[in-house]
């Protein structure tokens, strides 16, 4: 039986706004344990030269996102299977949850903003978008790269992104939708932000001189998911078993680019 960590008010906020902040889900000690495990994964990447420094982005290139860390570190695998994460995802999705993947973020000093985007653009879950479980491992604010959300944007479905551009555009981004505004989030170590896979969100630049903004995000879909993009089709259930779904070859994002520009 999973411990319930969301109040009714938080659930209502999630349904109405597309996200919710859940304070104090994990203890400071648990947050530090995850940070140590991510550092071990990062150190292996440095030693194996899978992480290489770029002269163009000398610091950011040394601290790239660490993808699917639950598959390469036992402590991170256990953390990703925690009932607080799976139980909350199941409540948000209305059915048993499946883990799509995990990503560790360092957000080093001087790191640029993460442009506004929607997670399901890259996950490709059909017919529903799933949800994210973002764990704040450091204090996060607009000053050091905290999250920013566009309330209510989850109701708009998948939006047509801007064409891919430079590294700073994260491959895809969307503008703030008409009649919507951004809000900034502030979190403490151990706090969790949950948000819908269609919620438009991003993060601020880290404007501090020396501080990192560590976080770990887990993405979930419901067990009724029919298909996902090929890189996401291998999932985990709450028992840690591998679950496979068909490859999504007709995700709605492709249809967005086929539509004629109405402007």
């Amino acid at each position: 039986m999973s411990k319930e960590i969301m109040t009714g008010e938080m659930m209502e906020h999630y349904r109405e706004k597309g996200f919710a902040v859940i304070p104090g889900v994990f203890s400071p000690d648990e947050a530090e344990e995850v940070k140590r495990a991510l550092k071990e994964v990062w150190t292996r990447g440095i030693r194996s030269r899978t992480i290489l420094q770029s002269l163009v982005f000398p610091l950011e290139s040394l601290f790239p996102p660490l993808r699917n860390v639950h598959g390469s570190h036992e402590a991170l695998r256990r953390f990703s299977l925690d009932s607080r994460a799976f139980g909350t995802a199941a409540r948000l999705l209305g059915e048993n949850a499946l883990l799509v993947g995990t990503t560790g973020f360092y957000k080093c000093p001087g790191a640029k903003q993460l442009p506004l985007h929607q997670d399901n653009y890259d996950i490709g879950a059909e017919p529903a978008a799933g949800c994210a479980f973002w764990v704040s491992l450091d204090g996060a604010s607009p000053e050091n790269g905290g999250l920013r959300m566009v309330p209510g944007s989850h109701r708009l479905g998948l939006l047509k992104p801007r064409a891919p551009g430079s590294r700073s555009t994260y491959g895809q981004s969307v503008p703030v939708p008409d009649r919507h505004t951004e809000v900034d989030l502030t979190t403490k170590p151990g706090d969790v932000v949950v948000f819908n896979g269609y919620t438009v969100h991003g993060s601020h630049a880290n404007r501090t001189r020396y501080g990192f903004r560590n976080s770990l995000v887990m993405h979930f879909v419901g067990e009724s998911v029919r298909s996902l993009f090929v890189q996401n089709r291998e999932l985990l259930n709450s028992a840690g078993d591998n679950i496979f779904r068909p490859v999504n070859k007709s995700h709605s994002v492709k249809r967005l680019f086929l539509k004629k520009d109405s402007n």
Side-chain angles (χ1 to χ4, degrees):
M1 181 69 68
S2 62
K3 179 182 178 182
E4 182 53 67
I5 62 173
M6 290 187 73
T7 65
E9 184 178 0
M10 292 174 188
M11 283 294 297
E12 182 63 23
H13 193 278
Y14 180 87
R15 286 192 289 266
E16 292 297 318
K17 306 297 185 181
F19 70 93
V21 180
I22 316 173
V25 176
F26 300 100
S27 69
D29 287 344
E30 288 176 306
E32 284 298 319
E33 180 183 1
V34 174
K35 286 173 67 173
R36 285 194 297 271
L38 287 175
K39 184 176 181 181
E40 291 172 5
V41 174
W42 175 82
T43 301
R44 287 203 301 261
I46 292 292
R47 288 175 173 171
S48 66
R49 295 181 61 80
T50 55
I51 297 176
L52 296 173
Q53 188 174 38
S54 162
L55 294 178
V56 180
F57 303 101
L59 190 56
E60 280 187 274
S61 61
L62 284 177
F63 297 98
L66 303 175
R67 307 292 185 186
N68 288 326
V69 291
H70 67 287
S72 60
H73 196 288
E74 182 57 33
L76 294 171
R77 178 182 174 86
R78 290 196 304 271
F79 188 79
S80 69
L81 294 173
D82 191 287
S83 62
R84 285 167 288 187
F86 260 91
T88 300
R91 187 178 179 195
L92 296 175
L93 297 169
E95 60 179 328
N96 290 334
L98 299 174
L99 179 68
V100 178
T102 54
T103 304
F105 291 97
Y106 277 104
K107 198 73 176 186
C108 64
K112 293 182 290 297
Q113 69 172 1
L114 184 64
L116 295 174
H117 64 281
Q118 296 171 295
D119 285 349
N120 206 46
Y121 180 93
D122 294 309
I123 293 174
E126 293 281 10
C131 65
F133 190 91
W134 186 93
V135 184
S136 185
L137 302 176
D138 293 312
S141 68
E143 179 66 18
N144 73 345
L147 290 178
R148 49 198 183 119
M149 295 279 167
V150 180
S153 56
H154 65 303
R155 300 179 183 278
L156 303 177
L158 201 62
L159 303 174
K160 183 176 181 179
R162 299 185 176 103
S166 67
R167 183 179 184 276
S168 64
T169 62
Y170 187 62
Q172 57 95 3
S173 64
V174 297
V176 177
D178 291 342
R179 297 183 295 280
H180 289 73
T181 58
E182 295 180 50
V183 297
D184 296 329
L185 303 186
T186 299
T187 54
K188 298 178 181 179
D191 291 351
V192 167
V193 181
V194 290
F195 51 94
N196 186 281
Y198 285 141
T199 301
V200 176
H201 67 286
S203 65
H204 288 279
N206 186 341
R207 298 190 296 272
T208 65
R209 294 188 65 183
Y210 304 111
F212 284 75
R213 188 232 66 189
N214 287 265
S215 63
L216 177 71
V217 64
M218 311 174 203
H219 289 104
F220 293 93
V221 292
E223 64 179 355
S224 65
V225 66
R226 290 199 298 263
S227 61
L228 303 98
F229 286 158
V230 63
Q231 71 272 19
N232 302 311
R233 62 182 298 265
E234 183 176 340
L235 312 167
L236 283 183
N237 64 16
S238 60
D241 301 320
N242 291 114
I243 306 293
F244 293 88
R245 288 292 187 267
V247 175
N248 182 357
K249 297 181 180 180
S250 59
H251 187 41
S252 56
V253 69
K254 296 179 180 179
R255 296 192 291 273
L256 288 174
F257 286 107
L258 295 177
K259 292 179 181 179
K260 292 183 178 179
D261 194 331
S262 59
N263 294 329

